[in-house]
Amino acid sequence: MSYRPPLPLIAIGAAAVLLAGCSSTEKSGQSGEVSLVKSGKLLNCTGLPYEPFEYQDKKSGDIVGFDIELIDLVAEELDVKQEVIDTPFEGIESGAVFASNKCDLSAAGMTITEERKKKFAFSDPYFDATQALAVKKGSGIDSLEALKGKRIGAQMDTTGQLYAQENADGVEIKDYEDLGLQLQALEGGQIPAAINDNGVLYDWVKDRPDFEVSTEFDTGEQYGIGVGKDNEELLKVIDDVLAEAKDDGTYDKIYQKWFGEAPK
C-alpha cells in the first residue's frame, strides 16, 4: 500500500472555492446559523472500519457504531440527516477534508493532539483512550522490548504509529492504511503484534479466543470530533449536544450499548 501525500495547498484552496457554492445554511433552534456543505445533510468523514466506533454492519449494510450514534444526536439537533463518507485517515488527520469542503465534521476515534489542532478544531473530549498491543495468545509478547528483531503493525497517521516510531527500538514497523488491514495481517500471521487504541483492540479480541490484548501503554489520550476552524457555530452545537447527552444519561446508554459497561 503506497502513501498518498496530502493535497498541495493550491489544489486544496481551489477545491474549497469550487465547492463553496454548494454550501448551505441550516438553523438550529438555539445555536444560530450553522453552515453545512450539503443542504439537509451532516457530512461525517470517517475511516472505516474502526469497530466499535464506526463500521459497516454485515447484516444490514448500514454504517453503525459509537461515534455514529453520537453524531446522529448532532444531526437531530440540526434537523438534518447524517451522511457518512468513508475517507482514508490521512485525509482527515491532515485537515484536507475540511480545507476542501468534503465534510462538515469528522468523528473517527481521533485523538486530540497539538499538531492536529494546528490544522482544524476539536470538540470537547468525549472518550478516553490509550495505546495497546494485540498479539496471539501464548506468544509471550507483552512489551515493545519483546518485539526486538520482529515486526509490529501500525495504522498510518495515528498516535499508535507515532508511539511505535518513538518507542519500539529495534522493531520493524509495518504500516497499514486502516485498522481492518492491520488486524487481518495479525490474524493471518504476517505480523506478530499490532498497536492501536485499546477500545478497538479489546473489541476485536473478544470474538477471537486465540488472540489477546497483552499490555496497554499509558498514553492518556482523549478523542475529539474534528471541525474546520472557520465553522465555530457547528463546533458549538457539537459541544452543547455532547454536554447535554452526558447530563441526561444518553451518553451513558450509548456507551454501554457499544462497550458493555458504563463509562468510568
Side-chain angles (χ1 to χ4, degrees):
M1 177 185 60
S2 60
Y3 172 76
R4 296 190 299 276
L7 294 172
L9 292 178
I10 293 177
I12 291 174
V17 170
L18 287 172
L19 289 170
C22 300
S23 299
S24 62
T25 303
E26 301 293 339
K27 195 173 184 70
S28 173
Q30 299 179 353
S31 305
E33 292 188 342
V34 176
S35 177
L36 300 178
V37 173
K38 185 189 292 187
S39 180
K41 299 287 186 180
L42 182 63
L43 304 186
N44 174 17
C45 280
T46 193
L48 304 175
Y50 205 67
E51 192 172 349
F53 294 91
E54 41 268 329
Y55 66 99
Q56 186 172 34
D57 183 79
K58 293 180 180 177
K59 292 182 180 179
S60 68
D62 295 333
I63 306 301
V64 298
F66 179 72
D67 284 351
I68 303 303
E69 290 205 27
L70 290 181
I71 299 306
D72 274 340
L73 298 179
V74 179
E76 183 179 350
E77 172 67 19
L78 293 170
D79 195 24
V80 297
K81 294 292 185 182
Q82 176 181 184
E83 181 176 315
V84 176
I85 301 175
D86 187 14
T87 306
F89 191 70
E90 66 194 56
I92 297 170
E93 198 266 349
S94 69
V97 295
F98 303 114
S100 63
N101 262 11
K102 184 174 182 178
C103 60
D104 299 300
L105 54 80
S106 176
M110 182 165 51
T111 298
I112 300 169
T113 69
E114 292 303 315
E115 187 63 29
R116 291 170 181 169
K117 284 165 69 174
K118 296 175 184 177
K119 306 166 190 174
F120 52 91
F122 275 104
S123 71
D124 292 334
Y126 70 92
F127 190 87
D128 294 332
T130 193
Q131 292 305 306
L133 203 63
V135 301
K136 192 165 186 177
K137 281 186 178 177
S139 68
I141 300 172
D142 58 1
S143 67
L144 294 180
E145 289 76 14
L147 279 166
K148 283 190 176 181
K150 299 182 176 66
R151 305 170 88 191
I152 186 173
Q155 184 179 351
M156 290 172 57
D157 299 302
T158 64
T159 50
Q161 182 194 47
L162 181 61
Y163 188 85
Q165 290 171 344
E166 293 178 345
N167 296 280
D169 295 332
V171 181
E172 180 188 351
I173 301 172
K174 174 65 176 174
D175 296 330
Y176 296 90
E177 185 172 3
D178 60 49
L179 174 72
L181 294 174
Q182 178 191 20
L183 294 180
Q184 283 175 22
L186 175 62
E187 192 166 23
Q190 284 83 46
I191 52 174
I195 186 170
N196 213 307
D197 294 1
N198 57 343
V200 295
L201 294 186
Y202 278 115
D203 183 81
W204 185 76
V205 301
K206 71 182 182 183
D207 296 322
R208 292 168 176 83
D210 291 339
F211 292 86
E212 65 179 345
V213 175
S214 62
T215 191
E216 293 187 10
F217 309 103
D218 186 15
T219 54
E221 301 175 43
Q222 291 184 305
Y223 291 170
I225 297 166
V227 177
K229 284 191 173 184
D230 60 348
N231 207 342
E232 295 179 0
E233 285 299 332
L234 176 57
L235 189 62
K236 182 179 186 307
V237 171
I238 294 169
D239 284 340
D240 288 347
V241 167
L242 289 176
E244 183 176 354
K246 290 181 178 180
D247 287 343
D248 67 15
T250 302
Y251 177 90
D252 287 1
K253 290 179 182 177
I254 295 173
Y255 190 104
Q256 188 153 16
K257 173 182 176 179
W258 292 103
F259 299 101
E261 61 182 7
K264 298 177 181 178

